[in-house]
Amino acid sequence: MLYSLVELNRAAMAPIRLAARAGRAALNSPLNPMGQTSYGKSLSAMADVFESATRYYGKPEWRINSVRINSIDVPVTPEAAWRSPWCGLIHFRKDAERLAAARRKNAAPLPRMLIVAPLSGHYATLLRGTVEGFLETHDVYITDWTDARMAPVWLGRFDLDDYIDHVRRMLTHIGGGAHVLAVCQPGPPVLAAISMMAEEEDAALPASMTFMGSPIDARRSPTVPNKLAEERPFSWFEQNMIYTVPGPYPGVLRRVYPGFVQLASFMNMNWNRHVDAHWKFFNHLVDGDGDNAGKHREFYDEYLSVLDLTEEFYLQTIRRVFQEHHLPRGIYKYRRDRLVKPEAIRNVALMTVEGEKDDISGIGQTQAAHDICVNIPKDMQTDYIQPGVGHYGVFNGSRFETEIAPRVTQFTRRFTQPELEEAAAASSAKKKR
């Protein structure tokens, strides 16, 4: 019912939003003298804020066209390297000739990196800054998860174990010796996937794994979301967080955890900060400060774009990760019968990154990976806490660019195997032919 009410409200607001847009255009016209007055500028800014706050935000574009390497712009093309109904593997392919020129005839292929984006309400494009932070130094791939409201019911289920399967399939496609970087939610399933690959001595086993702001063990330094998951019974999440997708979406009748519910939860955690941001946005518009207004638009255009999660994926994550803590307790069972054994990992380097002010995954939750991967040699482990940043700052922003990304790059370089990179490059070229 809630989903239908939200869609009805969106439809009802459409004429008002169009009127606001038309009014703003009229006030900004150079032929309208009122638009140059303080009153006119305030009315225009008010219309702009209203239209932005009530707009429907679809899936954003990547908007990554090039990367600058050694003062040379190298064209970049995001393209699907592998796809299933539930996920696309996006490869940020660089122009080979320009890349060779930029690297000054360095023939060694760039190390491959798989960024596993969270399936927790936002699109993978929220990690645009993360991708850009590694494009110069890595051959970057990223997971692009499907919005559950766009998945017809005949596709069947997609649960936490299916997520693990997808991570394994994508690593197999990329090839052994790659580097995996999991941001936030993917931490536990990625660690489970690599644990099983290590136990099987899978040829596609990555060379390193980096976890950033991940709830490997949500019992440590519990935050507001962690406490909510602990305090509420599982039945509460079943009854209050799951809704049915209405028409005309392709996923009509699918049971989902809607992205707008997750977004409302995140915004309520920092409500005053969001109100203040929109008030500043209003003042920037009145003052004609296009740079700061543009930064606000760029952030919120991404932040307000959300996707839905399948019922089974969301509820399994609540139970296994946030309520019963299966992985750190050593009781996670894949498909209910195979025990996941992180102690099987011996030859995959481990790095954890946390933010000092993270209010989503508290200090220690990501570090827990070191405690459960007991057989990784100490000289293959690295832990880093970034001072002064919250959850978002762990994978985006100026401190990520200048302090975190360089440390991760230095870490992956230590464990890059040139012969595997050359084999992977040859395999990729063969696939394209």
Side-chain angles (χ1 to χ4, degrees), residues 1 104 154 309 377-378:
M1 185 64 179
R104 297 166 185 168
W154 53 260
L309 286 60
K378 291 298 180 183

Side-chain angles (χ1 to χ4, degrees), residues 127-334:
L127 271 59
R128 185 182 294 108
T130 316
V131 172
E132 292 174 330
F134 294 110
L135 272 180
E136 181 180 352
T137 54
H138 293 78
D139 185 16
V140 180
Y141 296 77
I142 193 169
T143 60
D144 185 20
W145 301 103
T146 297
D147 183 349
R149 67 172 172 258
M150 305 304 290
V153 293
W154 53 260
L155 287 177
R157 291 166 52 88
F158 180 83
D159 61 18
L160 193 57
D161 290 333
D162 293 319
Y163 190 107
I164 291 173
D165 289 340
H166 274 67
V167 172
R168 293 195 62 172
R169 290 172 191 164
M170 287 182 277
L171 281 173
T172 298
H173 178 86
I174 294 172
H179 304 278
V180 180
L181 186 142
V183 179
C184 189
Q185 169 271 321
V190 167
L191 184 52
I194 295 175
S195 298
M196 292 191 292
M197 294 174 74
E199 187 178 10
E200 298 170 10
E201 298 183 352
D202 193 318
L205 195 68
S208 77
M209 52 185 178
T210 301
F211 300 104
M212 307 179 74
S214 295
I216 303 296
D217 188 348
R219 296 172 297 181
R220 303 189 180 188
S221 304
T223 60
V224 172
N226 301 145
K227 292 176 181 177
L228 174 64
E230 289 275 5
E231 293 168 358
R232 304 291 176 117
F234 185 73
S235 58
W236 184 87
F237 291 94
E238 291 180 300
Q239 296 165 10
N240 294 279
M241 296 287 104
I242 304 299
Y243 300 92
T244 303
V245 177
Y249 292 111
V252 59
L253 300 182
R254 181 178 290 280
R255 297 283 285 169
V256 299
Y257 172 56
F260 61 77
V261 174
Q262 176 83 314
L263 179 63
S265 300
F266 281 155
M267 295 195 73
N268 282 331
M269 286 177 59
N270 298 285
W271 182 252
N272 290 336
R273 186 184 302 173
H274 290 293
V275 171
D276 183 59
H278 280 77
W279 175 245
K280 289 180 179 178
F281 177 48
F282 172 82
N283 287 321
H284 291 322
L285 290 170
V286 172
D287 296 338
D289 185 350
D291 289 341
N292 281 312
K295 291 177 182 177
H296 176 97
R297 289 186 200 277
E298 183 177 353
F299 174 80
Y300 277 98
D301 283 359
E302 192 70 54
Y303 192 74
L304 297 176
S305 301
V306 292
L307 53 72
D308 296 353
L309 286 60
T310 64
E311 174 185 31
E312 56 274 13
F313 175 84
Y314 172 74
L315 292 178
Q316 284 182 3
T317 299
I318 289 294
R319 169 167 279 166
R320 298 183 189 181
V321 177
F322 293 103
Q323 289 192 334
E324 299 178 358
H325 317 288
H326 286 199
L327 199 59
R329 291 174 58 206
I331 62 171
Y332 190 103
K333 289 190 175 181
Y334 168 80

Side-chain angles (χ1 to χ4, degrees), residues 384-412:
Y384 178 67
I385 298 176
Q386 175 60 51
V389 303
H391 188 69
Y392 189 78
V394 170
F395 56 89
N396 257 317
S398 60
R399 292 186 181 177
F400 166 78
E401 294 173 8
T402 60
E403 300 184 50
I404 296 176
R407 282 180 168 85
V408 175
T409 297
Q410 184 179 26
F411 170 75
T412 60

Side-chain angles (χ1 to χ4, degrees), residues 5-23:
L5 287 174
V6 168
E7 292 301 315
L8 181 63
N9 177 72
R10 182 176 291 159
M13 292 292 290
I16 305 174
R17 190 164 53 252
L18 289 172
R21 186 182 301 175

Side-chain angles (χ1 to χ4, degrees), residues 342-357:
E343 63 270 21
I345 305 174
R346 298 176 182 274
N347 301 313
V348 181
L350 169 64
M351 180 175 186
T352 55
V353 181
E354 296 181 317
E356 179 189 22
K357 298 180 179 180

